[in-house]
Amino acid sequence: MAAGSLEHTAQAMVAPGRGILAADESTGTIGQRLASIGVESTEESRRDYRQVLLTAPDLGQYISGVILYDETLRQSASDGRTFVSILQAAGVIPGIKVDTGMHPLAGFPGEKVAEGLDGLRQRLADYHRLGARFAKWRAALEVNDTLPSDGCISANVHALARYAALCQEAGIVPMVEPEVLMNGDHSIERCEAVTETVLRRLFAALADQNVSLEGLILKTNMVVSGEKNRRQAPVDEVAAATVRCFLRAVPAAVPGIAFLSGGQSDAAATAHLDAMNRSSPNLPWTLSFSYGRALQAQPLKIWAGKPGNVAAAQKALLHRSRMNALAATGQWSAGLEQAA
């Protein structure tokens, strides 16, 4: 794919007022989600749940792309249409998760590196043939007073950069996802310092691999307090720290940043995104969302594996998508939630 096509796809992914649905849970993770509502994880039940999400009416009004898992990319709905064709008809770009998860990093006890580069060139060619036009690779970094180590950061950003180069070679937009985890007791100041370091190192690695910044999307964490920290920074502080960090570390050539929710509640993820767009309207990149649980939690609970609940579950998905679409343009308010 020509560079212009990559740029066009990347810009469409972060179009103002739209965001990305992360529905790329591995078989193990989706099994846990289904178990929480008393549904056995089978290929059919996983298909049925993904069908609830992907066939929601007017999904494309708020969602620009959906990250899929390998199984889902190859599946069809109960009416015989492939999920890829359903998304394309709705104006939604199909994407694919391509890393194989976090694995222990040799020489660095307690730290991990994302793997999956072996055979990736061939897998990307297959995914492109199946209709995927963007991909995702997630590197998750633990934080405390001494972690992540320089070695761990180096290993993960190098893998992200190699993945991104292979994606662009295959005509697929890479979504690069370095996640500074919030499951610690660190302060918001520590989160900001680590996030800035990781992002600076990431973009240096991307430059080393000749990756076009105009043809990629950054998916990353907001700058927040660790979830076990006594002091949970308020919304305005999170917004200010996140924007400040990105202005220091993210080049203006990047089309957009799609935030992960990272374990935040539905409402917090929406409020933080809205505050950033409301307080900083003239940023060089679009600030959007790429949420998994923050979009899926309510629909999953409402669906509960029962065909009669599909319409209500889809209504809940569209509501959360609309709330975040409004937040992506700084037009959300808590009153809209209460009214709904």
Side-chain angles (χ1 to χ4, degrees):
M1 185 182 289
S5 297
L6 288 171
E7 293 173 17
H8 176 78
T9 300
Q11 290 165 1
M13 289 168 64
V14 290
R18 297 172 83 200
I20 294 164
L21 167 63
D24 59 325
E25 300 87 359
S26 66
T27 302
T29 301
I30 194 65
Q32 295 170 8
R33 303 275 175 87
L34 292 173
S36 73
I37 57 169
V39 173
E40 181 184 359
S41 179
T42 64
E43 184 176 350
E44 184 178 5
S45 66
R46 294 191 295 271
R47 190 281 308 270
D48 289 346
Y49 174 56
R50 261 58 183 267
Q51 181 170 306
V52 172
L53 303 176
L54 304 183
T55 62
D58 300 318
L59 184 67
Q61 185 173 348
Y62 311 114
I63 299 297
S64 60
V66 178
I67 312 169
L68 303 172
Y69 189 59
D70 181 277
E71 178 183 70
T72 318
L73 185 72
R74 302 173 189 275
Q75 284 178 327
S76 297
S78 56
D79 63 5
R81 294 179 298 160
T82 65
F83 283 140
V84 167
S85 67
I86 289 170
L87 292 174
Q88 291 170 334
V92 178
I93 305 167
I96 181 69
K97 166 190 165 71
V98 299
D99 68 83
T100 58
M102 301 297 295
H103 300 268
L105 179 60
F108 294 85
E111 295 193 280
K112 296 182 178 182
V113 63
E115 296 184 353
L117 290 174
D118 287 352
L120 182 57
R121 177 178 273 119
Q122 291 74 26
R123 287 193 289 134
L124 288 169
D126 188 37
Y127 289 144
H128 190 279
R129 177 184 61 80
L130 290 169
R133 291 298 177 265
F134 76 95
K136 188 201 84 166
W137 179 292
R138 172 180 177 261
L141 301 166
E142 296 279 354
V143 181
N144 60 28
D145 291 343
T146 59
L147 299 182
S149 66
D150 286 346
C152 179
I153 294 172
S154 293
N156 278 289
V157 299
H158 178 75
L160 279 164
R162 288 295 304 127
Y163 140 82
L166 286 164
C167 281
Q168 291 188 340
E169 176 189 82
I172 289 176
V173 171
M175 174 180 276
V176 291
E177 182 181 353
E179 178 181 2
V180 173
L181 295 169
M182 62 180 289
N183 58 343
D185 62 1
H186 52 278
S187 66
I188 186 174
E189 291 81 8
R190 176 63 177 158
C191 180
E192 181 175 1
V194 172
T195 300
E196 181 177 342
T197 296
V198 170
L199 291 175
R200 286 181 181 273
R201 297 275 291 276
L202 170 65
F203 285 103
L206 291 167
D208 287 344
Q209 300 301 323
N210 291 326
V211 174
S212 167
L213 298 186
E214 290 84 357
L216 65 77
I217 297 298
L218 174 65
K219 177 173 179 175
T220 193
N221 55 282
M222 299 177 188
V223 174
V224 296
S225 307
E227 63 182 3
K228 298 175 184 176
N229 191 283
R230 287 185 177 182
R231 181 181 180 274
Q232 292 297 306
V235 170
D236 290 348
E237 187 176 343
V238 168
T242 304
V243 170
R244 179 173 61 241
C245 177
F246 289 177
L247 285 171
R248 290 171 173 168
V250 181
V254 173
I257 299 164
F259 288 108
L260 54 89
S261 52
Q264 300 179 61
S265 69
D266 298 359
T270 304
H272 287 147
L273 177 60
D274 178 74
M276 285 179 231
N277 281 300
R278 192 180 294 270
S279 62
S280 305
N282 297 310
L283 296 170
W285 2 255
T286 301
L287 296 182
S288 186
F289 61 94
S290 178
Y291 296 161
R293 278 177 295 180
L295 288 176
Q296 292 188 45
Q298 277 297 106
L300 176 66
K301 183 178 180 181
I302 292 169
W303 174 61
K306 300 175 182 177
N309 294 345
V310 168
Q314 290 178 333
K315 183 178 179 181
L317 172 64
L318 292 172
H319 169 69
R320 285 261 48 88
S321 299
R322 176 173 175 263
M323 292 299 99
N324 285 296
L326 289 170
T329 53
Q331 299 179 59
W332 172 85
S333 71
L336 294 170
E337 300 278 5
Q338 294 163 1

